[in-house]
Amino acid sequence: MDKTNNKGRNPKSPIGDLGVTPPLGGWGVNSLGYYGEFGGAFIPEMLQPNVDALRACYREIIDSPEFKQEFINLLKNYVGRPSPLYFAKRLSGHYNTKIFLKREDLNHTGSHKVNNTIGQILLAKMMGKNRIIAETGAGQHGVATATVCALMNLECIVYMGSTDMERQLPNVKRMEMLGAKVIPAESGNKTLKDATNEALRDWINNPEDTYYLIGSVVGPHPYPDIVAKFQSIISEEMGWQLDEQIGRTSPDYILACVGGGSNAAGAFYHYLENKTVKLIGVEASGLGTLSGETAASIACGEVGFIHGSKTLLMQDGDGQITEPYSISAGLDYPGIGPIHSHLFETGRATYIDATDKEALDAAFLLTRLEGIIPALESAHALAGLEKMKFNPDDVVVVNLSGRGDKDMEAYIKNL
Amino acid sequence: MNTLQKKLNDKKENLLTIYFTAGYPQLNDTGTIIKELEASGVDIVEVGMPFSDPVADGPTIQKSNLQALHNGMSIKKLFEQLKEIKNEVTIPILLMGYINPVWKFGVENFMEACNKNGVSGLILPDIPLDEFVKDYQPLYKKYDLSNVFLITPQTGSERIKAYDEACNGFIYMVSSASTTGANKAVDEEKQVAYFSRVKELGLKNPRQIGFNIKDKASFDRACQYANGGIIGSAFIKKLGEEGDLKRKVREFVEGIR
Ligand SMILES: Cc1ncc(COP(=O)(O)O)c(C=O)c1O
């Protein structure tokens, strides 16, 4: 047994004791909200009081027994955690190594996003907020937010780029059925970046009763820290699940797709200090990193500021943020969470990328070999397998961040 | 003392500040608009540096930003335009914008170019106060630039005082919690309470009220509670109309004064 993770786990509990989890060691956020040189809170004064209020209370709330009890109860009985860690035998055979899938696709609402929305909705409630706003790309975060708002009986407004509303229509309808109001974002490429701009504008215009429920490890401090903490349940479970199945608590590799980077942050979290675990983030390169039609923010980005955070982002020579492109709405974002910029700069994690085509191929491969239809986002993580060289004995965990129901239209087109 | 500080020193009330986006409606209108604003008796001009993702702006300024970028506007181009008119204008010029393009240009290069091309102050609202004091203030000093901070009705008095301490231009009072040009109904009683609260703090810097100042009535009201008012979206709307550019500028200012 190595010493890096799940020290505080009660082996009888199906999920670990969140909160006693180690706080990332040297990889965590400092008191000003920085991961190394990245992060911070570059926001206008109009947003400052709200962000300050959140900063002042989030740790205390998250560490309180009332919060923990409710959070763990909902993750277990409402979301259905722990999510299985599944040894994918045929996929392993295909790549001649040992591949486990962390089945976030089996969560209620179909992706990892719900881990975060459960946590943040409890935070919002304990802060006394009654109007919830969110941005969404693929619609998974929007659905997960609409779901917890229905559960808590809170007003829910979701901003979504109108391009994304077209390509993820079933999710738009799900959100509406759940009682959320979906407002199209019409600026830019009408995708996730633009939806995030609109959500921030809403927050500026509604500074008192509104909680902004961000969907990834992006935005001003303390959001990246909050979201990473809630998603860290993924790697926490991974540790004891590996232990149960193969008698070791850490894998050799973890692969996860990276849009803003929340599922990857959650899958890496408890292994950040354990250098024997190789962490691989897979970005969406769209039509290719050299094509100009890409969402690979690390491969194609430079240091800058987006949505309140200093991080790597795609921009032109004048510092204008460029429009990203990916077949996958959830990865179609020109920036990346500051934690990933830091992990990249320090070399702690490696970032590779996969094109639309490679992701589609990987999705079809998984479907045929294992009977699991992945989300297009998660298909990028699977496409990463193709680009790595593994030994037969290597233990590889792929974070299967979501299921493919919402992507059937794209899959049918490419059958 | 830079030109902004001189202006604020000489004139303590009814200051009229006008904001517009550089490179809008046409790429090379920037200089013409500044000259015409000065000729019409405007006190201070704020030139917006267009950005792809203007998060704090409402639809009117979003549109002018996109149009300006489409026209080919950039910071580099803006400095060329300012250089051309440098010897023809005395009106204090402030640049306002988001941090990313400035960062990309290079912060010190940017400040130096401001100093060389007749800019006397900056409004960069997404730089937080502690970062400003740590990383930016020395450069502002070096290049004789004033800085302007935004406050809102939600900004606590302690924080306002901290801004005032770090400020050597004016305090930009955002009139109500909103993006620019929001045009939403405001609770007047609350607003007056906010204006009065800030007035009573006895700040060392002058105050100007902006956001949703759009006509003579709202400008006069701003001047009642502060040293002046700032108009943005309403002016940009006017610039977007058909007609002769200089005439539009003159007509707009005449409508306010
Ligand atoms: C299934 C799935 N995976 C991944 C992502 C990307 O987000 P992140 O990079 O924050 O995990 C999304 C976003 O919508 C998603 O729906």
Side-chain angles (χ1 to χ4, degrees):
Chain A
M1 290 265 289
D2 63 54
K3 58 182 173 47
T4 48
N5 56 337
N6 68 53
K7 263 196 220 143
R9 179 176 84 94
N10 168 1
K12 296 224 171 57
S13 153
I15 59 172
D17 293 333
L18 198 104
V20 295
T21 52
L24 286 177
W27 301 101
V29 76
N30 71 17
S31 61
L32 294 172
Y34 278 88
Y35 298 90
E37 66 163 306
F38 300 106
F42 294 83
I43 49 174
E45 179 58 30
M46 290 81 92
L47 289 172
Q48 201 77 49
N50 263 324
V51 169
D52 278 351
L54 189 57
R55 218 182 279 180
C57 71
Y58 82 101
R59 280 180 202 233
E60 196 182 324
I61 292 181
I62 291 174
D63 287 336
S64 71
E66 306 84 64
F67 178 92
K68 271 195 243 177
Q69 194 184 9
E70 185 70 0
F71 184 58
I72 288 175
N73 171 44
L74 287 172
L75 286 187
K76 183 176 163 194
N77 299 314
Y78 185 72
V79 173
R81 299 204 74 92
S83 71
L85 184 73
Y86 165 69
F87 176 61
K89 196 167 159 207
R90 296 190 62 209
L91 190 68
S92 296
H94 182 86
Y95 288 110
N96 191 26
T97 190
K98 294 198 189 99
I99 300 172
F100 290 81
L101 301 176
K102 182 62 177 153
R103 299 290 308 273
E104 294 300 304
D105 60 315
L106 294 176
N107 292 340
H108 180 43
T109 73
S111 80
H112 71 291
K113 295 284 180 186
V114 72
N115 304 328
N116 169 47
T117 61
I118 293 272
Q120 285 199 55
I121 205 74
L122 293 173
L123 189 53
K125 241 180 62 170
M126 289 182 178
M127 290 177 74
K129 304 281 181 171
N130 51 34
R131 181 175 176 274
I132 307 297
I133 57 172
E135 84 296 337
T136 196
Q140 288 304 101
H141 174 60
V143 167
T145 304
T147 298
V148 296
C149 286
L151 181 68
M152 300 291 171
N153 192 25
L154 294 171
E155 184 185 355
C156 180
I157 291 125
V158 179
Y159 291 92
M160 188 169 188
S162 52
T163 304
D164 290 341
M165 286 177 74
E166 276 167 39
R167 57 179 166 172
Q168 311 272 243
L169 191 66
N171 271 346
V172 175
K173 296 299 159 195
R174 282 167 83 194
M175 286 184 266
E176 286 170 354
M177 184 170 171
L178 288 158
K181 188 167 161 200
V182 184
I183 302 182
E186 300 285 3
S187 53
N189 264 16
K190 308 172 173 60
T191 61
L192 183 54
K193 163 175 83 87
D194 314 295
T196 308
N197 288 342
E198 287 306 321
L200 285 167
R201 288 182 186 122
D202 180 308
W203 212 20
I204 287 173
N205 283 295
N206 296 285
E208 293 194 326
D209 57 343
T210 298
Y211 181 89
Y212 180 17
L213 207 161
I214 285 190
S216 192
V217 285
V218 301
H221 174 63
Y223 278 110
D225 189 35
I226 291 176
V227 179
K229 278 196 162 67
F230 292 149
Q231 292 295 359
S232 72
I233 188 75
I234 299 171
S235 51
E236 185 175 323
E237 288 173 0
M238 205 188 283
W240 60 259
Q241 288 174 321
L242 281 171
D243 190 18
E244 267 175 17
Q245 294 182 37
I246 56 168
R248 54 186 273 193
T249 56
S250 59
D252 296 300
Y253 292 88
I254 300 173
L255 276 80
C257 68
V258 180
S262 67
N263 87 87
F268 296 170
Y269 197 94
H270 288 280
Y271 296 104
L272 288 169
E273 298 250 53
N274 179 352
K275 299 256 171 75
T276 65
V277 183
K278 296 173 207 63
L279 308 173
I280 316 290
V282 186
E283 296 193 285
S285 61
L287 302 183
T289 48
L290 300 176
S291 69
E293 297 291 319
T294 181
S297 322
I298 286 186
C300 303
E302 291 171 85
V303 177
F305 301 82
I306 183 170
H307 299 139
S309 181
K310 184 178 179 191
T311 191
L312 293 167
L313 59 112
M314 301 195 305
Q315 51 185 309
D316 68 14
D318 294 323
Q320 306 299 338
I321 298 175
T322 45
E323 298 294 346
Y325 164 78
S326 163
I327 190 176
S328 145
L331 304 181
D332 203 350
Y333 184 71
I336 191 159
I339 185 172
H340 292 290
S341 295
H342 182 51
L343 294 175
F344 169 71
E345 288 289 343
T346 54
R348 175 64 192 97
T350 305
Y351 295 83
I352 59 178
D353 49 78
T355 62
D356 289 359
K357 169 88 175 47
E358 290 164 339
L360 284 167
D361 289 347
F364 285 109
L365 183 72
L366 183 75
T367 304
R368 290 304 178 85
L369 289 179
E370 299 288 349
I372 297 170
I373 302 179
L376 267 172
E377 291 76 19
S378 323
H380 286 75
L382 293 161
L385 292 169
E386 205 55 63
K387 313 195 161 202
M388 306 288 300
K389 277 241 168 317
F390 302 116
N391 293 319
D393 292 338
D394 282 341
V395 173
V396 179
V397 176
V398 178
N399 195 36
L400 200 70
S401 57
R403 65 177 89 127
D405 306 25
K406 67 185 178 58
D407 298 310
M408 284 317 296
E409 203 182 307
Y411 289 146
I412 290 164
K413 260 193 220 149
N414 290 282
L415 267 178
Chain B
M1 223 186 248
N2 62 42
T3 54
L4 174 70
Q5 289 163 332
K6 267 190 216 109
K7 169 63 85 175
L8 296 170
N9 211 37
D10 293 348
K11 188 167 173 184
K12 309 268 187 218
E13 48 190 32
N14 295 322
L15 285 164
L16 174 58
T17 299
I18 298 270
Y19 167 95
F20 75 99
T21 307
Y24 177 84
Q26 304 287 331
L27 180 62
N28 291 317
D29 287 344
T30 314
T32 314
I33 294 172
I34 295 174
K35 285 192 277 185
E36 204 54 33
L37 285 171
E38 173 166 326
S40 310
V42 167
D43 295 301
I44 300 165
V45 55
E46 276 177 21
V47 182
M49 300 175 281
F51 183 47
S52 53
D53 294 82
V55 165
D57 288 300
T60 303
I61 295 182
Q62 284 175 45
K63 250 187 250 157
S64 68
N65 273 253
L66 289 186
Q67 183 61 49
L69 291 175
H70 182 78
N71 292 346
M73 197 61 210
S74 66
I75 291 181
K76 191 160 157 267
K77 183 86 204 161
L78 175 58
F79 284 130
E80 287 166 21
Q81 294 174 342
L82 293 176
K83 189 172 182 178
E84 260 175 48
I85 60 159
K86 192 184 157 195
N87 296 323
E88 301 171 51
V89 295
T90 57
I91 188 170
I93 296 172
L94 305 182
L95 299 191
M96 178 167 191
Y98 295 82
I99 178 70
N100 199 59
V102 172
W103 177 270
K104 178 77 195 181
F105 192 88
V107 175
E108 179 146 13
N109 290 346
F110 176 79
M111 305 246 182
E112 189 180 359
C114 285
N115 176 282
K116 276 198 191 138
N117 296 298
V119 174
S120 53
L122 298 175
I123 312 179
L124 299 171
D126 43 17
I127 299 177
L129 181 60
D130 45 354
E131 310 257 353
F132 172 81
V133 171
K134 188 160 54 80
D135 297 337
Y136 294 81
Q137 201 164 28
L139 291 174
Y140 276 71
K141 275 217 181 87
K142 181 168 172 191
Y143 295 106
D144 195 21
L145 295 168
S146 287
N147 63 315
V148 168
F149 286 113
L150 269 55
I151 63 169
T152 79
Q154 280 71 34
T155 311
S157 297
E158 280 315 302
R159 196 178 169 84
I160 294 176
K161 285 186 200 153
Y163 279 136
D164 187 45
E165 200 46 53
C167 174
N168 61 351
F170 60 86
I171 295 288
Y172 189 137
M173 293 177 63
V174 175
S175 66
S176 66
S178 76
T179 41
T180 54
N183 240 342
K184 64 176 186 183
V186 290
D187 180 336
E188 290 218 2
E189 218 170 287
K190 258 189 169 168
Q191 195 173 56
V192 169
Y194 158 57
F195 291 166
S196 312
R197 169 172 73 97
V198 178
K199 194 171 178 176
E200 278 154 27
L201 289 176
L203 304 180
K204 69 177 171 103
N205 288 285
R207 290 158 286 121
Q208 294 205 75
I209 297 175
F211 284 44
N212 297 328
I213 309 297
K214 53 179 185 290
D215 50 20
K216 183 163 171 49
S218 46
F219 175 70
D220 288 345
R221 218 170 101 79
C223 293
Q224 235 182 298
Y225 293 95
N227 306 74
I230 304 163
I231 302 181
S233 296
F235 180 64
I236 287 174
K237 265 192 199 135
K238 178 76 181 181
L239 291 179
E241 289 172 6
E242 293 287 310
D244 175 65
L245 183 66
K246 291 185 185 177
R247 219 183 57 219
K248 283 185 285 189
V249 174
R250 236 173 303 130
E251 274 176 13
F252 186 85
V253 178
E254 278 162 14
I256 305 297
R257 285 287 197 201

